[in-house]
PDB file of all heavy atoms in Angstrom:
ATOM      1  N   LEU N  22     -40.837 -38.798   6.647  1.00 97.00           N
ATOM      2  CA  LEU N  22     -40.428 -37.356   6.744  1.00 97.00           C
ATOM      3  C   LEU N  22     -41.071 -36.765   7.939  1.00 97.00           C
ATOM      4  O   LEU N  22     -42.184 -36.304   8.037  1.00 97.00           O
ATOM      5  CB  LEU N  22     -41.080 -36.678   5.414  1.00 97.00           C
ATOM      6  CG  LEU N  22     -40.760 -35.130   5.412  1.00 97.00           C
ATOM      7  CD1 LEU N  22     -39.248 -34.901   5.577  1.00 97.00           C
ATOM      8  CD2 LEU N  22     -41.234 -34.596   4.195  1.00 97.00           C
ATOM      9  N   LEU N  23     -40.260 -36.889   9.095  1.00 97.00           N
ATOM     10  CA  LEU N  23     -40.745 -36.357  10.289  1.00 97.00           C
ATOM     11  C   LEU N  23     -40.136 -34.899  10.630  1.00 97.00           C
ATOM     12  O   LEU N  23     -40.865 -34.098  11.246  1.00 97.00           O
ATOM     13  CB  LEU N  23     -40.346 -37.222  11.528  1.00 97.00           C
ATOM     14  CG  LEU N  23     -40.710 -38.726  11.370  1.00 97.00           C
ATOM     15  CD1 LEU N  23     -40.308 -39.457  12.538  1.00 97.00           C
ATOM     16  CD2 LEU N  23     -42.280 -38.828  11.384  1.00 97.00           C
ATOM     17  N   THR N  24     -38.972 -34.716  10.041  1.00 97.00           N
ATOM     18  CA  THR N  24     -38.361 -33.398  10.123  1.00 97.00           C
ATOM     19  C   THR N  24     -37.448 -33.251   8.840  1.00 97.00           C
ATOM     20  O   THR N  24     -37.137 -34.224   8.289  1.00 97.00           O
ATOM     21  CB  THR N  24     -37.561 -33.277  11.363  1.00 97.00           C
ATOM     22  OG1 THR N  24     -36.644 -32.108  11.259  1.00 97.00           O
ATOM     23  CG2 THR N  24     -36.580 -34.533  11.558  1.00 97.00           C
ATOM     24  N   LEU N  25     -37.221 -31.976   8.514  1.00 97.00           N
ATOM     25  CA  LEU N  25     -36.410 -31.834   7.402  1.00 97.00           C
ATOM     26  C   LEU N  25     -34.894 -32.182   7.522  1.00 97.00           C
ATOM     27  O   LEU N  25     -34.189 -32.504   6.601  1.00 97.00           O
ATOM     28  CB  LEU N  25     -36.414 -30.321   6.939  1.00 97.00           C
ATOM     29  CG  LEU N  25     -37.775 -29.800   6.431  1.00 97.00           C
ATOM     30  CD1 LEU N  25     -37.779 -28.311   6.267  1.00 97.00           C
ATOM     31  CD2 LEU N  25     -38.071 -30.474   5.067  1.00 97.00           C
ATOM     32  N   ALA N  26     -34.563 -32.398   8.817  1.00 92.00           N
ATOM     33  CA  ALA N  26     -33.316 -32.991   9.124  1.00 92.00           C
ATOM     34  C   ALA N  26     -33.232 -34.425   8.620  1.00 92.00           C
ATOM     35  O   ALA N  26     -32.114 -35.001   8.582  1.00 92.00           O
ATOM     36  CB  ALA N  26     -33.009 -32.947  10.509  1.00 92.00           C
ATOM     37  N   ASP N  27     -34.332 -35.098   8.390  1.00 90.00           N
ATOM     38  CA  ASP N  27     -34.361 -36.412   7.804  1.00 90.00           C
ATOM     39  C   ASP N  27     -33.842 -36.508   6.316  1.00 90.00           C
ATOM     40  O   ASP N  27     -33.486 -37.565   5.907  1.00 90.00           O
ATOM     41  CB  ASP N  27     -35.710 -37.097   7.764  1.00 90.00           C
ATOM     42  CG  ASP N  27     -36.371 -37.369   9.141  1.00 90.00           C
ATOM     43  OD1 ASP N  27     -35.452 -37.548  10.132  1.00 90.00           O
ATOM     44  OD2 ASP N  27     -37.520 -37.574   9.302  1.00 90.00           O
ATOM     45  N   LEU N  28     -33.815 -35.251   5.672  1.00 95.00           N
ATOM     46  CA  LEU N  28     -33.499 -35.305   4.314  1.00 95.00           C
ATOM     47  C   LEU N  28     -32.059 -34.817   4.081  1.00 95.00           C
ATOM     48  O   LEU N  28     -31.587 -33.954   4.781  1.00 95.00           O
ATOM     49  CB  LEU N  28     -34.433 -34.397   3.610  1.00 95.00           C
ATOM     50  CG  LEU N  28     -35.957 -34.624   3.633  1.00 95.00           C
ATOM     51  CD1 LEU N  28     -36.669 -33.473   2.875  1.00 95.00           C
ATOM     52  CD2 LEU N  28     -36.195 -35.917   2.910  1.00 95.00           C
ATOM     53  N   THR N  29     -31.476 -35.464   3.147  1.00 95.00           N
ATOM     54  CA  THR N  29     -30.114 -34.960   2.684  1.00 95.00           C
ATOM     55  C   THR N  29     -30.431 -33.597   1.861  1.00 95.00           C
ATOM     56  O   THR N  29     -31.532 -33.353   1.420  1.00 95.00           O
ATOM     57  CB  THR N  29     -29.350 -35.883   1.762  1.00 95.00           C
ATOM     58  OG1 THR N  29     -30.130 -36.073   0.562  1.00 95.00           O
ATOM     59  CG2 THR N  29     -29.159 -37.225   2.437  1.00 95.00           C
ATOM     60  N   ALA N  30     -29.490 -32.777   1.665  1.00 96.00           N
ATOM     61  CA  ALA N  30     -29.706 -31.582   0.812  1.00 96.00           C
ATOM     62  C   ALA N  30     -30.053 -31.978  -0.549  1.00 96.00           C
ATOM     63  O   ALA N  30     -30.992 -31.235  -1.139  1.00 96.00           O
ATOM     64  CB  ALA N  30     -28.309 -30.742   0.824  1.00 96.00           C
ATOM     65  N   ALA N  31     -29.545 -33.105  -0.982  1.00 96.00           N
ATOM     66  CA  ALA N  31     -29.880 -33.500  -2.429  1.00 96.00           C
ATOM     67  C   ALA N  31     -31.354 -33.912  -2.432  1.00 96.00           C
ATOM     68  O   ALA N  31     -32.108 -33.676  -3.412  1.00 96.00           O
ATOM     69  CB  ALA N  31     -29.025 -34.675  -2.901  1.00 96.00           C
ATOM     70  N   ASP N  32     -31.862 -34.717  -1.472  1.00 96.00           N
ATOM     71  CA  ASP N  32     -33.274 -35.169  -1.407  1.00 96.00           C
ATOM     72  C   ASP N  32     -34.113 -34.036  -1.317  1.00 96.00           C
ATOM     73  O   ASP N  32     -35.210 -33.934  -1.856  1.00 96.00           O
ATOM     74  CB  ASP N  32     -33.509 -36.139  -0.284  1.00 96.00           C
ATOM     75  CG  ASP N  32     -33.045 -37.536  -0.680  1.00 96.00           C
ATOM     76  OD1 ASP N  32     -32.773 -37.757  -1.900  1.00 96.00           O
ATOM     77  OD2 ASP N  32     -32.989 -38.437   0.155  1.00 96.00           O
ATOM     78  N   LEU N  33     -33.867 -32.980  -0.455  1.00 97.00           N
ATOM     79  CA  LEU N  33     -34.589 -31.788  -0.292  1.00 97.00           C
ATOM     80  C   LEU N  33     -34.724 -31.130  -1.691  1.00 97.00           C
ATOM     81  O   LEU N  33     -35.925 -30.759  -2.056  1.00 97.00           O
ATOM     82  CB  LEU N  33     -33.982 -30.790   0.713  1.00 97.00           C
ATOM     83  CG  LEU N  33     -34.596 -29.424   0.896  1.00 97.00           C
ATOM     84  CD1 LEU N  33     -35.941 -29.517   1.414  1.00 97.00           C
ATOM     85  CD2 LEU N  33     -33.777 -28.537   1.798  1.00 97.00           C
ATOM     86  N   ASP N  34     -33.760 -30.829  -2.302  1.00 97.00           N
ATOM     87  CA  ASP N  34     -33.784 -30.210  -3.570  1.00 97.00           C
ATOM     88  C   ASP N  34     -34.548 -31.058  -4.612  1.00 97.00           C
ATOM     89  O   ASP N  34     -35.286 -30.497  -5.388  1.00 97.00           O
ATOM     90  CB  ASP N  34     -32.313 -29.955  -4.064  1.00 97.00           C
ATOM     91  CG  ASP N  34     -32.319 -28.875  -5.248  1.00 97.00           C
ATOM     92  OD1 ASP N  34     -32.968 -27.793  -5.149  1.00 97.00           O
ATOM     93  OD2 ASP N  34     -31.753 -29.258  -6.260  1.00 97.00           O
ATOM     94  N   ARG N  35     -34.370 -32.348  -4.509  1.00 97.00           N
ATOM     95  CA  ARG N  35     -35.105 -33.188  -5.535  1.00 97.00           C
ATOM     96  C   ARG N  35     -36.550 -33.088  -5.195  1.00 97.00           C
ATOM     97  O   ARG N  35     -37.312 -33.095  -6.199  1.00 97.00           O
ATOM     98  CB  ARG N  35     -34.645 -34.562  -5.338  1.00 97.00           C
ATOM     99  CG  ARG N  35     -35.258 -35.631  -6.346  1.00 97.00           C
ATOM    100  CD  ARG N  35     -34.642 -36.870  -5.997  1.00 97.00           C
ATOM    101  NE  ARG N  35     -35.168 -38.054  -6.886  1.00 97.00           N
ATOM    102  CZ  ARG N  35     -34.986 -39.290  -6.734  1.00 97.00           C
ATOM    103  NH1 ARG N  35     -34.208 -39.755  -5.749  1.00 97.00           N
ATOM    104  NH2 ARG N  35     -35.469 -40.174  -7.578  1.00 97.00           N
ATOM    105  N   LEU N  36     -37.064 -33.021  -4.016  1.00 97.00           N
ATOM    106  CA  LEU N  36     -38.458 -32.830  -3.735  1.00 97.00           C
ATOM    107  C   LEU N  36     -38.954 -31.495  -4.314  1.00 97.00           C
ATOM    108  O   LEU N  36     -40.126 -31.415  -4.808  1.00 97.00           O
ATOM    109  CB  LEU N  36     -38.706 -32.971  -2.258  1.00 97.00           C
ATOM    110  CG  LEU N  36     -38.801 -34.357  -1.635  1.00 97.00           C
ATOM    111  CD1 LEU N  36     -38.769 -34.329  -0.036  1.00 97.00           C
ATOM    112  CD2 LEU N  36     -40.148 -35.111  -2.107  1.00 97.00           C
ATOM    113  N   VAL N  37     -38.230 -30.441  -4.098  1.00 98.00           N
ATOM    114  CA  VAL N  37     -38.616 -29.104  -4.568  1.00 98.00           C
ATOM    115  C   VAL N  37     -38.718 -29.149  -6.061  1.00 98.00           C
ATOM    116  O   VAL N  37     -39.689 -28.640  -6.682  1.00 98.00           O
ATOM    117  CB  VAL N  37     -37.666 -28.069  -4.143  1.00 98.00           C
ATOM    118  CG1 VAL N  37     -38.010 -26.709  -4.733  1.00 98.00           C
ATOM    119  CG2 VAL N  37     -37.645 -27.973  -2.590  1.00 98.00           C
ATOM    120  N   GLU N  38     -37.755 -29.707  -6.785  1.00 97.00           N
ATOM    121  CA  GLU N  38     -37.748 -29.778  -8.216  1.00 97.00           C
ATOM    122  C   GLU N  38     -38.834 -30.608  -8.721  1.00 97.00           C
ATOM    123  O   GLU N  38     -39.598 -30.236  -9.702  1.00 97.00           O
ATOM    124  CB  GLU N  38     -36.378 -30.324  -8.743  1.00 97.00           C
ATOM    125  CG  GLU N  38     -35.228 -29.454  -8.605  1.00 97.00           C
ATOM    126  CD  GLU N  38     -33.953 -29.958  -9.244  1.00 97.00           C
ATOM    127  OE1 GLU N  38     -34.018 -31.069  -9.848  1.00 97.00           O
ATOM    128  OE2 GLU N  38     -33.017 -29.169  -9.278  1.00 97.00           O
ATOM    129  N   ARG N  39     -39.127 -31.706  -8.033  1.00 97.00           N
ATOM    130  CA  ARG N  39     -40.267 -32.492  -8.401  1.00 97.00           C
ATOM    131  C   ARG N  39     -41.649 -31.853  -8.167  1.00 97.00           C
ATOM    132  O   ARG N  39     -42.461 -32.016  -9.132  1.00 97.00           O
ATOM    133  CB  ARG N  39     -40.246 -33.826  -7.596  1.00 97.00           C
ATOM    134  CG  ARG N  39     -41.316 -34.918  -7.986  1.00 97.00           C
ATOM    135  CD  ARG N  39     -41.091 -35.320  -9.449  1.00 97.00           C
ATOM    136  NE  ARG N  39     -42.176 -36.192  -9.832  1.00 97.00           N
ATOM    137  CZ  ARG N  39     -42.825 -36.144 -10.933  1.00 97.00           C
ATOM    138  NH1 ARG N  39     -42.511 -35.243 -11.857  1.00 97.00           N
ATOM    139  NH2 ARG N  39     -43.876 -37.040 -11.293  1.00 97.00           N
ATOM    140  N   GLY N  40     -41.693 -31.011  -7.198  1.00 97.00           N
ATOM    141  CA  GLY N  40     -43.004 -30.340  -7.007  1.00 97.00           C
ATOM    142  C   GLY N  40     -43.154 -29.307  -8.122  1.00 97.00           C
ATOM    143  O   GLY N  40     -44.281 -29.237  -8.595  1.00 97.00           O
TER     144      GLY N  40
END
Side-chain angles (χ1 to χ4, degrees):
L22 178 54
L23 304 182
T24 167
L25 290 171
D27 288 343
L28 300 175
T29 66
D32 277 349
L33 172 65
D34 193 52
R35 187 176 174 189
L36 280 168
V37 173
E38 289 188 359
R39 183 63 184 136

